Amino acid sequence: QRRGGPGRGCPDCFKVFFPDYHPTSVATLEESREKFQLALYGQLTVITFRVLTGHFGGAIVGLVVYVIGNHARCSLRAPHLTAYAVVSLAAGALDGVSLLTHLCGTGLGFFSLPFEDHLAQDLTAISLLLAPAAEVGGARAAWSCHLDPDMLFAGPPSPIGCGGSKGFHVSPYQIMDEPFA
């Protein structure tokens, strides 16, 4: 029996590209996720330009990087974030080498004007410039999405100590300064 909705033919296919987003209550983490999302939008732009210019191999690699990144951003699972950072840095390095190779080969003709007369060449140039920035920026954003225990604490440490209000009311430093008081 088939289900309705966007993934009607393949219920799990829709989840591959659009996983469930799990929000948190940690403001700094959500800000990092917004930066991560911006980098993924850059990745989608690169994919679109590569498809429009006929670079389908690069578009498929970019799509794989995007899917891994979107899963990492939505789930915040450490293995997914780390996998995305590694894959994205590797793709960014390869795209950086491709950019340098293209720059050395074309010289000053890298970006040609008027835009409408050289559309494919200019879209390729833009995707070559944007790809390493989006991938390396995405890797940095993913790395900043790893949960740091300090993100869970909302302010300076309490002067009460670790025991809370019912327990230990003296700081450990006071005990060490006055051991026999």
Side-chain angles (χ1 to χ4, degrees), residues 92-146:
L94 291 174
D95 283 334
V97 169
S98 179
L99 171 64
L100 290 175
T101 304
H102 197 77
L103 277 172
C104 291
T106 59
L108 296 175
F110 179 69
F111 195 80
S112 299
L113 295 175
F115 190 73
E116 58 271 356
D117 291 343
H118 308 287
L119 185 62
Q121 180 183 355
D122 291 343
L123 287 178
T124 300
I126 292 169
S127 71
L128 282 170
L129 288 170
L130 186 58
E135 290 159 348
V136 172
R140 289 188 65 205
W143 204 254
S144 70
C145 285
H146 278 93

Side-chain angles (χ1 to χ4, degrees), residues 17-79:
F17 293 101
F18 304 103
D20 293 330
Y21 183 82
H22 302 285
T24 68
S25 60
V26 181
T28 55
L29 192 56
E30 290 300 320
E31 288 173 12
S32 295
R33 288 173 99 176
E34 288 176 9
K35 292 175 186 173
F36 196 175
Q37 183 177 16
L38 183 63
L40 290 174
Y41 285 152
Q43 187 70 27
L44 280 177
T45 304
V46 169
I47 293 166
T48 303
F49 288 174
R50 286 178 175 173
V51 167
L52 290 174
T53 57
H55 295 112
F56 297 113
I60 290 171
V61 170
L63 186 61
V64 168
V65 171
Y66 171 80
V67 168
I68 293 171
N70 201 30
H71 277 276
R73 184 185 71 84
C74 290
S75 70
L76 287 180
R77 293 185 179 182

Side-chain angles (χ1 to χ4, degrees), residues 1-5 7-11:
Q1 184 174 25
R2 292 186 155 191
R3 297 181 201 172
R8 194 167 76 190
C10 177

